[in-house]
Amino acid sequence: MIIEVKNMSFAYEGAPLLFDNISFSVGRGQIVCVLGPNGTGKTTLLNCLANLSIPTKGRILIDRKDTEKMSPQEVAMNIGFVPQFITPSFSYEVLDYVVTGCAPTIGTFQKPKPEHFEIAQESLKQMGILHLAHKYYNQISGGERQQVSIARALAQRPKVILMDEPTAHLDFGNQIKVLRIIKSLAAEGYGAVITTHNPDHALLLGGDVAVIHPSGEFIFGSCKDVIREDFLSSLYGVELHLCHLAEIERDICVAPSL
Amino acid sequence: MKKLLTVFFVAMLILSSAGTAFAADITYVVKKGDTLGKIGKAYGVSYTSIASKNKIKDPNLIIVGQKLIIPKDETTTNTNANSTTNENKSASITVTDVTGRVVSLSSPASKILGTHNPSLNTGIVLGGGDKYIAGFGNKKMANKLYDYVMKDYDGIVQIGMGSNINYETVATLGKNNVAILPERFKSQVEQYEKVGVTAIVALSNTESFESIKRSLTIVGKVLGEDTKASKINAFIDKTVKETKATAAKAKTKPSVLFLGSSSSFSVASSSMIQTDIIEMAGGTNAVKGLNVKGDFADVNMEQIIAWNPEIIWVPKYASYTAESLLSNSKWSSIKAVKNKAVYVFPSDLEPWDYPTASAALGLSWGLHNLHPELYSLNQVMKDADEFYSLVYGKTFTAQELGIN
Amino acid sequence: MRKTIYIRTLFIMICILFIFAFFSICIGRFSSNPVDVYHAILGKLGLEPTADEGMEVVLFSIRIPRVFASMMIGAMLSLSGAVYQGVFRNPLVSPDILGVSAGASVGAASAIMIGLGIWERQGFAFLFGLLAVGLSTTISKLMRNHSNLMLVLSGIIVGGFLNSLLAIMKFVADEQTELATIVFWQMGSFAEIDMQEVVAIGPVLFLGSVLLIGLSWRINILSFGEVEAKIVGMNTKQIRGISIACASLLTASAVSICGTIGWIGLVIPHLARLAVGSDHVKMIPVSALLGAMFMLFVDTVARALLTVEIPLSILTGIIGAPCFAWLLYKQRATVS
């Protein structure tokens, strides 16, 4: 167990509780997909895990250590985060962008050393985009940018990678590519927690599913257990169809004819 | 419907703003037998304002068919006691100011007011004090002299500073006053007339002893103090003549730099009285090649070093001291500083380098400063005594004046 | 940009700066003959008798202090401009954004109206400039909103208020002495600089640039955004605070010495980016060098072109605004 979430609750100032008393854990090679309609707190959950927001109640443990007692750098060395939107105001070279992932190990007044650049290049290689190293960020496509963001998170050498809707702004082909990358990262031993709007993607990834129901209920379990037709239909408020396609040997979740 | 309404409103807006522009003036074509006075009465405006609007020098002279712009009458109740609404063109006092405007007064003004202190100084010397002063400009700049010669300096109303004038205050002071303005404030004339106060531009932008004398003559006429004005002008003439004659005897003409008041890098331009004083007193102006509009200009320190004046005059009211120049390393190579020839221009009581009657004393002192062998301090004091007795009926000691 | 190319570029710029400086001390209204300069230097060193005392004074009391001062001030303003742009994630930001210049103007005007000397005037300008920044940051703290937008808005409030204060002071000031002094101070000038002041700002420039160049890589990260910076474990509040404080100190010192000078903090960082890219590690030192060069050029023109002293803001504006237009034209594709 790398990350353990114990009885976590969160409410924005002056607002009712977003989620209450959540507990789950993420281990090596484990993929967790967080499903749920808009506004239920998926991104907030990720933010709490990434130490960007402080939970109102409860604790998060990383390797048995309470995050409250850890410095932000320590947390960053364990958890990588790929946000949904990245809009840099200035255009940097991809390599310079990725090397910022090494920041937790670089002193406040120091600059990255050659070894850090090596780490950055390795991350790019891992993502298969080493050829983009010296291109400028504003010259690459959306899909490539997503991959660069993941590379940056990898440069942190984290144990778990959090991704906020990684497929949201990608074309269909790139969506599948990113899902493949997540699958292979998990195979390499990284833990992954991703939020997604598409239950079919959760099925593609396999792994565990967490759902924050609008009613406030938190459900956690394996794909097979949580993803059921009636449950999903009530969650999203539309009819959804679950079936098994023999020719590709997987379960799929689709909408019926309009 | 909405669109129509918007178009309508916009059109109204444009028309009304155009209207205010046009509504201001009416054009009238002169017919046989017309006089400016008749026309004025018909439109309810004073004939003097028609004359000035159309730049007519002689109000008796208008031609049939001549197009006149009738100014919009802002003061139909123009009961300016000084300007007459009857057609009697033979008003008792006619004055042409420095912009060529002809102003008529039925009787001498009781007092003058304004915010340009050198211009008002004419009234002070003509009245020997605050007799003719109704309202004043920046009281801070007036110096100690006024404490001596004005009975109730604090009681005089301050009507504003520079171009910021409170015309309501002016209006409360009554209509028997005349505003005396320098040429650079001539745009204020209309404003003064609006509140029923005649305004006269007495002091020209190009300063010289001639322009000073002219301002005294004009204001003398306005106040009915023609005699005193000519006496003061005679004094100025005499001083100028004698100074020039004495200066002609000098063997050398030292170069003089007259600094400004705001900083030690500002110098006076050639349109200022300072330049005349230097040249008449037997010196040459160290400033060369300065093409500036307006009074003072900030020049580069290197330029001042290049000019290398032999004598430096610092105004009494400067924001820096003569000592600061003597001790500043940047000035150390200049002849005037090396010879400690940096002097404060008098006087302690009032500036003798303003375009006022006292500038004649400045001239006298300048002559003494540049050529002490030809003109002694005693002679300067004699001039000062003569002037101040004539004007105020008092004399001051050299100590009080700060010249020694 | 490759590191080797960068080092070479830096080296070339430093050489150009030295050459500019040398030319600059040979030019002036007193004499523009390098031979005179040569003799004056020898004279001062005692190697030959002083030929022209005037030249010696001009060289050592006027030109050399001004050359140093303009280079330093140019560097300070550009440095702080570059840092502000990075921290606020906005290339349209100038060092005045938090009200430093407005505060310094009010301080200087107060000193002028009270009738204090030049040193006090500078002290007031410096203090009030920092106070203005402090006020802006306090306002945003009071609003419990630490975002960049809030800071900028607070800066607008404080700057606007201080400018009105300044207008009141100008209204009350005596037209002939005080007002002229205030206006001329605001327009910016090195006319009254002397070696003492140069020595005084030396440490400020040194400390400020060391700190900011040290933080330049962190500013890269800050410029991505609050979230991106936090997720790599950066203490954004601390880094932002130090950067803004340093940059404000540099700006306040600069403005207190020579009045408000616009455009440099805005335009020079853009030029630096054009030359070496947006990486702050490379671009911040280049901003400083380019700023020094530019200010040196401008001040040389200000004091040597005409008999009168041309205010610096006028020159930086006349050169800076078209420059900025040209920069925008070049980068028009990237402006959204």
Side-chain angles (χ1 to χ4, degrees):
Chain A
M1 298 304 114
I2 308 177
I3 302 184
E4 286 173 79
V5 176
K6 288 191 188 298
N7 312 102
M8 186 169 75
S9 314
F10 187 90
Y12 284 108
E13 212 173 296
L17 280 174
L18 209 48
F19 47 77
D20 193 23
N21 213 357
I22 293 184
S23 299
F24 66 95
S25 61
V26 183
R28 272 184 62 89
Q30 182 182 357
I31 302 179
V32 176
C33 284
V34 184
L35 292 176
N38 285 334
T40 45
K42 303 200 300 292
T43 306
T44 314
L45 175 60
L46 275 194
N47 284 349
C48 288
L49 288 178
N51 210 22
L52 292 173
S53 304
I54 315 256
T56 318
K57 269 199 282 211
R59 306 182 301 154
I60 302 175
L61 302 174
I62 299 181
D63 279 344
R64 302 289 162 86
K65 256 174 98 176
D66 196 326
T67 52
E68 264 175 60
K69 301 196 180 69
M70 296 169 77
S71 70
Q73 286 95 319
E74 278 183 85
V75 175
M77 288 201 265
N78 285 291
I79 300 189
F81 186 99
V82 181
Q84 200 182 131
F85 299 103
I86 299 183
T87 46
S89 327
F90 305 101
S91 186
Y92 297 92
E93 269 187 22
V94 164
L95 188 64
D96 285 328
Y97 184 75
V98 173
V99 82
T100 60
C102 299
T105 55
I106 302 178
T108 314
F109 289 96
Q110 290 176 328
K111 318 256 179 302
K113 301 195 183 56
E115 55 251 34
H116 298 115
F117 281 103
E118 270 177 44
I119 296 178
Q121 285 182 323
E122 267 178 55
S123 311
L124 284 171
K125 229 197 290 185
Q126 247 181 310
M127 297 299 298
I129 48 171
L130 190 57
H131 59 284
L132 294 178
H134 291 291
K135 284 226 159 128
Y136 281 91
Y137 192 82
N138 62 350
Q139 291 174 330
I140 58 180
S141 72
E144 288 170 325
R145 285 190 200 184
Q146 185 67 283
Q147 292 175 288
V148 166
S149 300
I150 301 177
R152 181 204 203 237
L154 288 176
Q156 286 171 253
R157 293 294 169 86
K159 301 197 177 97
V160 176
I161 302 184
L162 311 173
M163 295 192 214
D164 195 4
E165 306 215 19
T167 57
H169 306 286
L170 299 178
D171 65 48
F172 194 69
N174 279 320
Q175 286 185 19
I176 305 299
K177 275 199 194 127
V178 167
L179 291 175
R180 282 210 185 106
I181 289 172
I182 298 175
K183 198 90 202 207
S184 67
L185 285 175
E188 287 176 40
Y190 291 95
V193 181
I194 70 167
T195 60
T196 178
H197 269 307
N198 195 333
D200 194 46
H201 285 178
L203 284 174
L204 273 173
L205 287 172
D208 293 319
V209 171
V211 176
I212 308 176
H213 205 271
S215 65
E217 211 191 326
F218 180 72
I219 295 117
F220 188 88
S222 76
C223 237
K224 295 195 179 22
D225 296 333
V226 179
I227 297 187
R228 292 190 324 272
E229 239 178 56
D230 47 342
F231 176 67
L232 282 185
S233 302
S234 83
L235 184 64
Y236 288 106
V238 287
E239 207 189 315
L240 288 175
H241 214 59
L242 207 58
C243 65
H244 183 83
L245 269 187
E247 49 258 49
I248 53 175
E249 290 169 10
R250 77 166 181 99
D251 292 329
I252 61 169
C253 172
V254 289
S257 307
L258 299 169
Chain B
M1 185 58 205
K2 246 196 194 164
K3 208 172 176 187
L4 210 62
L5 223 55
T6 328
V7 171
F8 173 73
F9 276 122
V10 171
M12 282 286 95
L13 195 63
I14 298 175
L15 280 175
S16 56
S17 37
T20 48
F22 289 120
D25 299 323
I26 312 162
T27 313
Y28 176 81
V29 180
V30 177
K31 299 191 284 291
K32 192 161 182 202
D34 274 343
T35 62
L36 272 189
K38 270 204 218 147
I39 302 173
K41 202 167 183 208
Y43 282 96
V45 295
S46 69
Y47 79 90
T48 48
S49 40
I50 305 182
S52 66
K53 187 89 189 185
N54 292 277
K55 297 204 182 3
I56 298 175
K57 282 216 163 72
D58 184 351
N60 296 323
L61 208 62
I62 51 175
I63 308 169
V64 173
Q66 180 176 4
K67 285 211 183 81
L68 296 173
I69 304 172
I70 311 291
K72 187 172 157 86
D73 176 39
E74 290 99 3
T75 50
T76 13
T77 52
N78 191 358
T79 50
N80 186 342
N82 293 323
S83 89
T84 175
T85 47
N86 65 41
E87 298 150 29
N88 190 354
K89 282 168 258 126
S90 52
S92 22
I93 304 182
T94 324
V95 175
T96 315
D97 73 8
V98 296
T99 62
R101 246 177 97 239
V102 176
V103 181
S104 297
L105 309 169
S106 58
S107 60
S110 42
K111 292 193 183 190
I112 63 170
L113 46 77
T115 53
H116 186 241
N117 291 354
S119 300
L120 290 188
N121 185 271
T122 51
I124 297 175
V125 300
L126 288 171
D130 52 354
K131 175 171 168 195
Y132 290 123
I133 306 298
F136 219 43
N138 185 349
K139 285 174 129 184
K140 273 195 321 194
M141 280 295 274
N143 279 346
K144 300 204 207 76
L145 176 66
Y146 295 161
D147 289 335
Y148 281 102
V149 305
M150 298 227 208
K151 276 182 257 139
D152 184 16
Y153 185 46
D154 287 326
I156 302 181
V157 177
Q158 176 156 332
I159 62 172
M161 286 207 274
S163 23
N164 292 318
I165 300 176
N166 190 323
Y167 290 99
E168 271 193 47
T169 315
V170 170
T172 59
L173 294 174
K175 305 228 165 99
N176 291 329
N177 304 314
V178 170
I180 303 293
L181 310 173
E183 192 183 344
R184 81 173 95 102
F185 288 164
K186 66 181 178 202
S187 55
Q188 294 170 354
V189 168
E190 268 185 61
Q191 310 269 47
Y192 278 110
E193 307 248 319
K194 250 203 267 190
V195 292
V197 171
T198 312
I200 295 183
V201 179
L203 194 59
S204 142
N205 275 344
T206 318
E207 298 171 4
S208 65
F209 283 102
E210 283 308 310
S211 71
I212 296 176
K213 277 168 37 189
R214 191 160 171 215
S215 68
L216 284 164
T217 312
I218 293 177
V219 181
K221 252 188 159 186
V222 166
L223 291 171
E225 288 274 6
D226 303 75
T227 336
K228 189 148 185 204
S230 33
K231 279 202 198 144
I232 300 178
N233 282 344
F235 175 82
I236 296 178
D237 279 332
K238 186 180 77 144
T239 315
V240 169
K241 199 159 146 237
E242 284 178 6
T243 307
K244 279 190 175 163
T246 316
K249 293 191 221 145
K251 295 195 203 77
T252 58
K253 276 187 157 202
S255 64
V256 183
L257 183 67
F258 210 134
L259 293 176
S261 54
S262 54
S263 81
S264 55
F265 302 128
S266 61
V267 299
S269 78
S270 53
S271 66
M272 305 195 77
I273 194 75
Q274 280 86 338
T275 310
D276 286 11
I277 293 181
I278 294 175
E279 285 168 7
M280 287 185 196
T284 59
N285 196 343
V287 174
K288 295 196 184 12
L290 190 68
N291 279 326
V292 280
K293 256 207 211 169
D295 13 16
F296 293 99
D298 276 341
V299 295
N300 189 281
M301 186 66 223
E302 277 192 46
Q303 187 63 74
I304 298 181
I305 300 182
W307 284 330
N308 206 3
E310 292 162 90
I311 303 212
I312 295 179
W313 285 342
V314 173
K316 176 82 185 70
Y317 46 90
S319 58
Y320 53 95
T321 61
E323 283 77 35
S324 66
L325 298 182
L326 290 169
S327 57
N328 189 327
S329 62
K330 290 196 188 128
W331 293 75
S332 57
S333 71
I334 298 177
K335 267 193 229 153
V337 172
K338 286 215 277 229
N339 300 331
K340 303 233 193 288
V342 179
Y343 304 104
V344 178
F345 203 86
S347 70
D348 280 359
L349 292 180
E350 57 162 350
W352 283 357
D353 56 332
Y354 269 8
T356 59
S358 329
L361 296 178
L363 188 59
S364 167
W365 180 88
L367 176 63
H368 159 70
N369 183 268
L370 297 182
H371 305 286
E373 72 285 359
L374 294 173
Y375 208 70
S376 70
L377 197 62
N378 280 337
Q379 286 167 294
V380 177
M381 280 311 297
K382 251 183 70 202
D383 292 333
D385 288 340
E386 191 185 331
F387 177 76
Y388 284 122
S389 321
L390 167 62
V391 170
Y392 301 115
K394 310 163 84 101
T395 57
F396 301 99
T397 66
Q399 211 98 332
E400 286 169 322
L401 290 168
I403 52 178
N404 35 25
Chain C
M1 172 172 251
R2 294 290 133 93
K3 194 150 187 207
T4 43
I5 303 181
Y6 174 67
I7 304 248
R8 212 188 318 157
T9 314
L10 218 58
F11 183 69
I12 295 177
M13 282 189 186
I14 296 181
C15 287
I16 295 182
L17 190 61
F18 270 103
I19 296 176
F20 264 29
F22 180 72
F23 270 120
S24 183
I25 57 174
C26 294
I27 300 177
R29 289 225 70 84
F30 187 78
S31 131
S32 293
N33 194 339
V35 178
D36 291 339
V37 174
Y38 174 69
H39 285 299
I41 297 180
L42 289 187
K44 183 84 176 199
L45 293 172
L47 295 172
E48 57 173 55
T50 308
D52 186 347
E53 199 184 331
M55 188 70 222
E56 209 177 286
V57 168
V58 161
L59 190 61
F60 289 95
S61 297
I62 300 180
R63 285 191 198 167
I64 290 185
R66 277 182 84 142
V67 162
F68 273 114
S70 53
M71 291 198 293
M72 291 164 83
I73 301 278
M76 285 158 86
L77 288 174
S78 314
L79 256 178
S80 58
V83 168
Y84 268 116
Q85 285 175 5
V87 169
F88 282 97
R89 309 183 58 210
N90 189 332
L92 291 179
V93 157
S94 84
D96 304 327
I97 198 166
L98 291 180
V100 177
S101 296
S105 301
V106 168
S110 314
I112 292 172
M113 304 271 290
I114 304 179
L116 299 174
I118 295 194
W119 282 102
E120 292 88 346
R121 193 188 303 173
Q122 286 171 3
F124 268 57
F126 181 73
L127 233 84
F128 276 67
L130 286 182
L131 274 173
V133 174
L135 207 60
S136 303
T137 45
T138 311
I139 290 183
S140 71
K141 271 200 196 121
L142 286 175
M143 305 276 193
R144 306 272 190 100
N145 185 336
H146 297 287
S147 71
N148 277 340
L149 182 59
M150 194 64 224
L151 257 179
V152 170
L153 290 174
S154 313
I156 293 179
I157 296 174
V158 171
F161 175 71
L162 287 171
N163 277 324
S164 316
L165 255 183
L166 185 67
I168 295 179
M169 296 172 95
K170 280 189 190 170
F171 176 69
V172 177
D174 177 88
E175 251 184 71
Q176 285 181 301
T177 51
E178 294 164 344
L179 184 60
T181 314
I182 295 178
V183 171
F184 200 71
W185 183 90
Q186 261 200 302
M187 293 202 275
S189 163
F190 284 113
E192 298 180 23
I193 204 98
D194 62 47
M195 212 55 197
Q196 268 185 301
E197 293 169 309
V198 171
V199 169
I201 43 175
V204 179
L205 172 61
F206 180 70
L207 271 170
S209 27
V210 162
L211 271 172
L212 289 176
I213 292 179
L215 282 178
S216 55
W217 188 69
R218 294 277 160 178
I219 296 179
N220 273 357
I221 307 181
L222 261 185
S223 77
F224 295 155
E226 191 74 14
V227 168
E228 285 81 347
K230 280 207 176 125
I231 60 185
V232 290
M234 218 170 93
N235 187 341
T236 52
K237 235 168 108 182
Q238 186 194 62
I239 305 289
R240 212 173 21 183
I242 301 179
S243 308
I244 292 183
C246 276
S248 305
L249 260 168
L250 285 176
T251 312
S253 313
V255 173
S256 70
I257 299 275
C258 61
T260 54
I261 303 180
W263 291 100
I264 291 206
L266 180 60
V267 177
I268 299 288
H270 280 270
L271 283 172
R273 269 185 220 109
L274 261 185
V276 295
S278 299
D279 181 5
H280 288 86
V281 174
K282 301 194 174 78
M283 166 258 190
I284 285 186
V286 170
S287 291
L289 280 174
L290 282 179
M293 264 190 249
F294 182 68
M295 201 72 236
L296 180 58
F297 172 73
V298 164
D299 187 53
T300 310
V301 169
R303 67 177 165 83
L305 192 66
L306 301 174
T307 316
V308 294
E309 183 83 34
I310 307 177
L312 292 170
S313 282
I314 295 181
L315 288 170
T316 56
I318 290 184
I319 303 176
C323 222
F324 197 59
W326 173 75
L327 273 171
L328 282 182
Y329 175 73
K330 273 206 104 179
Q331 299 186 326
R332 63 196 182 284
T334 57
V335 175
S336 55

